[in-house]
Amino acid sequence: MLDIKFVRENQDAVSEAMRNRNASWDSARFSELDESRRDAIQQEEALQAERNALSKEIGKMMGAGQKDEAEAAKERVRAINDELAGVSARREAVDAELRDLLMSVPNMPDAATPVGADENDNPEVRRWGTPRDFAAEGFEPKAHWDLGPVLNIIDFDRGVKLAESRFYVLGGLGARLERALISFMLDQHVARGYKEWWVPALANAATLTGTAQLPKFEDDLFKTTGGLYLIPTAEVQLTNLHAGEVLDAAQLPLKYCAFTPCFREEAGSAGRDTRGIIRVHQFSKVEMVKYAKPEEAFDDLEAMVEDAENILQKLELPYRVISLCTGDIGFSSAKTYDLEVWLPCYDGYKEISSCSCCTDFQARRANIKYRDPEHFKGSRYLYTLNGSGLAVGRTMAAVIENYQQPDGTIRVPDALVPYMGGVTVIEPEGVVTA
């Protein structure tokens, strides 16, 4: 969340930023609540000071035999306590409403984030690789949702039978390819300095509040009857590993990664990418998270993007990098790069990774600080970063489509062959009949 002092002192800048983000922001209501809160605090402090002074005088009065004066002072103390209780209750109510208001406000975009209305205003930063010219090779490429069932490695019907729509089943070399991609991605990140973690697939409300999935995006989450939530990304757990802690500057940046299953209700996404395995309720993802010093965080973001790019380059999948504009960046982000992989089924690029610097927005919510005695006293909020490294299902779709051959088989990328037990080609498997 935003620092209340910053909002108070920069209301025009906050209002402009929210307009650029297409976010609602009630500046007048904030000012009203903030003034009411500060007024209540002043009253509390004045009443407490009066009570403390009277308490000292009562002892002196009793010692001097001034019983009537002492009783009058005691009566005033009792009245102060009653008045103080009312003022404190009012201040607590205002505090709660002010907190709720700030909890609903997205992060301030970084000055380097391009101003724009929506995804159509996202500038392209660079491209890598050249999409295959299937026409020159003499055949029409098929979509992964057609190739997978024919090869018997993806089964959409059984996914629906076991759960509901937008779930799927992987079998045989499809399951092996999923496992290969996960292991390959993790090994690459660990080799580049990330510490691997294994974290719960369930999180409590405080954890999800720390990374700002709650309260704003509760409708996109699956909730259990016990009050826990299925995580939408490992970012939730990796970022909150140090919630409530103060880290040493010498430790930073901390670089973490983890594979987790991810679960998203995808409320409001009906009709979007419903074919195949691009947008589903359960998917696998390898996530990267960094804890960084503020002055180094945006350089760390550039490095994180390179770490995600490394996976695509090793798999020889064409992609492009775009910089998200103010109208398209996520709620917690100040600056975001998306990596989009080439998918023949769309005849275009599709998001496969999103890497963001969240400044101190999440750290403030999760209360994560760092100390650096050589440069400042006490502790300060650090910056958090997160990025997909990568979304496994989308990577699988990209491999299947970009590596398909005229006979309908799939050539396994060289980087994955060791993880596939030496398998170089995915051929049709025997179909299990009902």
Side-chain angles (χ1 to χ4, degrees), residues 245-247 367 369-372 376-381:
E245 298 180 19
V246 180
L247 306 177
N367 192 27
K369 298 182 177 182
Y370 77 110
R371 62 172 67 88
D372 191 353
F376 58 82
K377 295 180 180 179
S379 59
R380 296 178 181 176
Y381 291 108

Side-chain angles (χ1 to χ4, degrees), residues 170-293:
L170 299 175
L173 290 178
R176 183 66 183 264
L177 180 57
E178 174 102 349
R179 181 157 50 95
L181 284 166
I182 293 167
S183 296
F184 168 71
M185 291 175 185
L186 288 171
D187 285 350
Q188 287 295 312
H189 293 314
V190 169
R192 294 167 78 94
Y194 288 80
K195 178 178 180 178
E196 181 183 352
W197 292 83
W198 180 264
V199 296
L202 291 168
N204 57 38
T207 296
L208 285 151
T209 301
T211 43
Q213 276 77 22
L214 289 178
K216 180 81 171 172
F217 303 103
E218 185 163 13
D219 288 345
D220 289 331
L221 302 172
F222 284 102
K223 187 177 182 179
T224 71
T225 55
L228 296 175
Y229 297 81
L230 292 169
I231 60 172
T233 166
E235 169 203 341
V236 171
Q237 306 293 41
L238 292 178
T239 303
N240 281 280
L241 281 173
H242 295 293
E245 298 180 19
V246 180
L247 306 177
D248 291 327
Q251 297 175 270
L252 304 178
L254 289 175
K255 300 167 61 176
Y256 292 162
C257 69
F259 150 72
T260 61
C262 303
F263 305 87
R264 295 184 186 177
E265 181 71 27
E266 295 284 7
S269 65
R272 295 180 58 198
D273 306 324
T274 54
R275 298 194 71 184
I277 60 177
I278 298 300
R279 188 179 294 275
V280 290
H281 290 312
Q282 177 183 340
F283 58 97
S284 300
K285 186 151 70 85
V286 172
E287 185 76 2
M288 303 175 288
V289 160
K290 289 184 181 182
Y291 300 77
K293 298 177 184 178

